[in-house]
mmCIF file of all heavy atoms in Angstrom:
data_model
loop_
_atom_site.group_PDB
_atom_site.id
_atom_site.type_symbol
_atom_site.label_atom_id
_atom_site.label_comp_id
_atom_site.label_asym_id
_atom_site.label_seq_id
_atom_site.Cartn_x
_atom_site.Cartn_y
_atom_site.Cartn_z
ATOM 1 N N CYS B 318 -144.026 66.104 -95.561
ATOM 2 C CA CYS B 318 -144.943 65.189 -94.835
ATOM 3 C C CYS B 318 -146.341 65.744 -94.998
ATOM 4 O O CYS B 318 -146.628 66.890 -94.806
ATOM 5 C CB CYS B 318 -144.538 65.151 -93.377
ATOM 6 S SG CYS B 318 -145.768 64.242 -92.369
ATOM 7 N N ALA B 319 -147.266 64.762 -95.341
ATOM 8 C CA ALA B 319 -148.665 65.175 -95.546
ATOM 9 C C ALA B 319 -149.279 65.699 -94.332
ATOM 10 O O ALA B 319 -150.298 66.440 -94.377
ATOM 11 C CB ALA B 319 -149.371 63.991 -96.112
ATOM 12 N N ARG B 320 -148.752 65.335 -93.168
ATOM 13 C CA ARG B 320 -149.390 65.809 -91.894
ATOM 14 C C ARG B 320 -148.685 67.016 -91.308
ATOM 15 O O ARG B 320 -149.390 67.983 -90.905
ATOM 16 C CB ARG B 320 -149.328 64.695 -90.822
ATOM 17 C CG ARG B 320 -150.316 63.591 -91.163
ATOM 18 C CD ARG B 320 -150.468 62.631 -90.027
ATOM 19 N NE ARG B 320 -151.086 61.393 -90.534
ATOM 20 C CZ ARG B 320 -151.036 60.205 -89.946
ATOM 21 N NH1 ARG B 320 -150.356 60.046 -88.823
ATOM 22 N NH2 ARG B 320 -151.602 59.136 -90.475
ATOM 23 N N CYS B 321 -147.354 67.029 -91.207
ATOM 24 C CA CYS B 321 -146.661 68.114 -90.457
ATOM 25 C C CYS B 321 -145.897 69.053 -91.359
ATOM 26 O O CYS B 321 -145.354 70.001 -90.906
ATOM 27 C CB CYS B 321 -145.772 67.502 -89.387
ATOM 28 S SG CYS B 321 -144.288 66.750 -90.092
ATOM 29 N N HIS B 322 -145.770 68.722 -92.655
ATOM 30 C CA HIS B 322 -145.059 69.542 -93.586
ATOM 31 C C HIS B 322 -143.545 69.518 -93.593
ATOM 32 O O HIS B 322 -142.896 70.149 -94.368
ATOM 33 C CB HIS B 322 -145.529 71.017 -93.520
ATOM 34 C CG HIS B 322 -146.813 71.277 -94.209
ATOM 35 N ND1 HIS B 322 -147.316 72.530 -94.468
ATOM 36 C CD2 HIS B 322 -147.720 70.431 -94.715
ATOM 37 C CE1 HIS B 322 -148.502 72.454 -95.021
ATOM 38 N NE2 HIS B 322 -148.802 71.196 -95.165
ATOM 39 N N THR B 323 -142.975 68.726 -92.629
ATOM 40 C CA THR B 323 -141.499 68.726 -92.601
ATOM 41 C C THR B 323 -140.976 67.953 -93.780
ATOM 42 O O THR B 323 -141.735 67.281 -94.541
ATOM 43 C CB THR B 323 -140.978 68.080 -91.241
ATOM 44 O OG1 THR B 323 -139.631 68.490 -91.065
ATOM 45 C CG2 THR B 323 -141.006 66.553 -91.294
ATOM 46 N N THR B 325 -139.428 65.020 -95.743
ATOM 47 C CA THR B 325 -139.417 63.539 -95.562
ATOM 48 C C THR B 325 -139.304 62.889 -96.927
ATOM 49 O O THR B 325 -139.526 63.505 -97.990
ATOM 50 C CB THR B 325 -140.662 63.059 -94.853
ATOM 51 O OG1 THR B 325 -140.656 61.650 -94.731
ATOM 52 C CG2 THR B 325 -141.938 63.470 -95.630
ATOM 53 N N GLU B 328 -144.559 59.442 -97.561
ATOM 54 C CA GLU B 328 -145.852 60.189 -97.508
ATOM 55 C C GLU B 328 -146.013 60.864 -96.152
ATOM 56 O O GLU B 328 -146.349 62.044 -96.092
ATOM 57 C CB GLU B 328 -146.987 59.175 -97.823
ATOM 58 C CG GLU B 328 -148.363 59.708 -97.601
ATOM 59 C CD GLU B 328 -148.846 60.667 -98.695
ATOM 60 O OE1 GLU B 328 -148.174 60.752 -99.684
ATOM 61 O OE2 GLU B 328 -149.924 61.272 -98.472
ATOM 62 N N ILE B 329 -145.773 60.096 -95.102
ATOM 63 C CA ILE B 329 -145.852 60.676 -93.755
ATOM 64 C C ILE B 329 -144.502 60.403 -93.075
ATOM 65 O O ILE B 329 -143.908 59.323 -93.166
ATOM 66 C CB ILE B 329 -146.948 59.886 -92.906
ATOM 67 C CG1 ILE B 329 -148.204 59.720 -93.744
ATOM 68 C CG2 ILE B 329 -147.198 60.506 -91.571
ATOM 69 C CD1 ILE B 329 -149.214 60.799 -93.632
ATOM 70 N N CYS B 330 -144.030 61.437 -92.343
ATOM 71 C CA CYS B 330 -142.719 61.294 -91.678
ATOM 72 C C CYS B 330 -142.794 60.355 -90.499
ATOM 73 O O CYS B 330 -143.831 60.030 -89.948
ATOM 74 C CB CYS B 330 -142.174 62.672 -91.287
ATOM 75 S SG CYS B 330 -142.945 63.307 -89.789
ATOM 76 N N GLN B 331 -141.593 59.892 -90.087
ATOM 77 C CA GLN B 331 -141.497 58.886 -88.947
ATOM 78 C C GLN B 331 -142.009 59.498 -87.678
ATOM 79 O O GLN B 331 -142.554 58.800 -86.839
ATOM 80 C CB GLN B 331 -140.099 58.371 -88.862
ATOM 81 C CG GLN B 331 -139.735 57.398 -89.949
ATOM 82 C CD GLN B 331 -138.445 56.624 -89.671
ATOM 83 O OE1 GLN B 331 -137.906 56.647 -88.560
ATOM 84 N NE2 GLN B 331 -137.946 55.956 -90.670
ATOM 85 N N THR B 332 -141.781 60.834 -87.444
ATOM 86 C CA THR B 332 -142.240 61.416 -86.213
ATOM 87 C C THR B 332 -143.816 61.334 -86.158
ATOM 88 O O THR B 332 -144.356 60.938 -85.120
ATOM 89 C CB THR B 332 -141.772 62.859 -86.111
ATOM 90 O OG1 THR B 332 -140.339 62.882 -86.268
ATOM 91 C CG2 THR B 332 -142.180 63.504 -84.799
ATOM 92 N N CYS B 333 -144.440 61.718 -87.246
ATOM 93 C CA CYS B 333 -145.916 61.668 -87.253
ATOM 94 C C CYS B 333 -146.454 60.237 -87.109
ATOM 95 O O CYS B 333 -147.513 60.058 -86.569
ATOM 96 C CB CYS B 333 -146.461 62.283 -88.549
ATOM 97 S SG CYS B 333 -146.380 64.039 -88.619
ATOM 98 N N LEU B 334 -145.673 59.254 -87.569
ATOM 99 C CA LEU B 334 -146.147 57.823 -87.489
ATOM 100 C C LEU B 334 -145.790 57.197 -86.172
ATOM 101 O O LEU B 334 -146.260 56.053 -85.912
ATOM 102 C CB LEU B 334 -145.469 57.064 -88.663
ATOM 103 C CG LEU B 334 -145.960 57.343 -90.064
ATOM 104 C CD1 LEU B 334 -145.160 56.532 -91.085
ATOM 105 C CD2 LEU B 334 -147.446 56.950 -90.164
ATOM 106 N N GLN B 352 -137.176 72.280 -85.653
ATOM 107 C CA GLN B 352 -137.748 71.036 -85.165
ATOM 108 C C GLN B 352 -136.580 70.135 -84.569
ATOM 109 O O GLN B 352 -136.761 69.597 -83.429
ATOM 110 C CB GLN B 352 -138.464 70.281 -86.270
ATOM 111 C CG GLN B 352 -139.082 68.975 -85.831
ATOM 112 C CD GLN B 352 -139.717 68.217 -87.002
ATOM 113 O OE1 GLN B 352 -139.568 68.591 -88.167
ATOM 114 N NE2 GLN B 352 -140.479 67.197 -86.701
ATOM 115 N N TYR B 365 -145.548 67.645 -84.190
ATOM 116 C CA TYR B 365 -145.131 68.994 -84.725
ATOM 117 C C TYR B 365 -145.990 69.450 -85.932
ATOM 118 O O TYR B 365 -146.603 68.634 -86.591
ATOM 119 C CB TYR B 365 -143.654 68.878 -85.262
ATOM 120 C CG TYR B 365 -142.639 68.709 -84.222
ATOM 121 C CD1 TYR B 365 -142.264 67.421 -83.808
ATOM 122 C CD2 TYR B 365 -142.026 69.801 -83.616
ATOM 123 C CE1 TYR B 365 -141.330 67.270 -82.756
ATOM 124 C CE2 TYR B 365 -141.089 69.640 -82.653
ATOM 125 C CZ TYR B 365 -140.745 68.354 -82.203
ATOM 126 O OH TYR B 365 -139.786 68.259 -81.215
ATOM 127 N N ARG B 391 -155.971 70.992 -88.502
ATOM 128 C CA ARG B 391 -155.443 69.931 -87.688
ATOM 129 C C ARG B 391 -155.571 70.208 -86.198
ATOM 130 O O ARG B 391 -155.921 69.328 -85.447
ATOM 131 C CB ARG B 391 -153.938 69.794 -88.047
ATOM 132 C CG ARG B 391 -153.296 68.701 -87.233
ATOM 133 C CD ARG B 391 -152.087 68.095 -87.878
ATOM 134 N NE ARG B 391 -151.456 67.220 -86.915
ATOM 135 C CZ ARG B 391 -150.172 66.911 -86.978
ATOM 136 N NH1 ARG B 391 -149.405 67.466 -87.916
ATOM 137 N NH2 ARG B 391 -149.641 66.106 -86.065
HETATM 138 ZN ZN1 LIG C 42 -144.828 64.571 -90.318
#
Side-chain angles (χ1 to χ4, degrees):
Chain B
C318 172
R320 288 191 197 158
C321 74
H322 282 190
T323 200
T325 178
E328 169 77 7
I329 313 270
C330 77
Q331 286 192 14
T332 304
C333 284
L334 288 175
Q352 179 184 10
Y365 290 91
R391 178 154 174 208

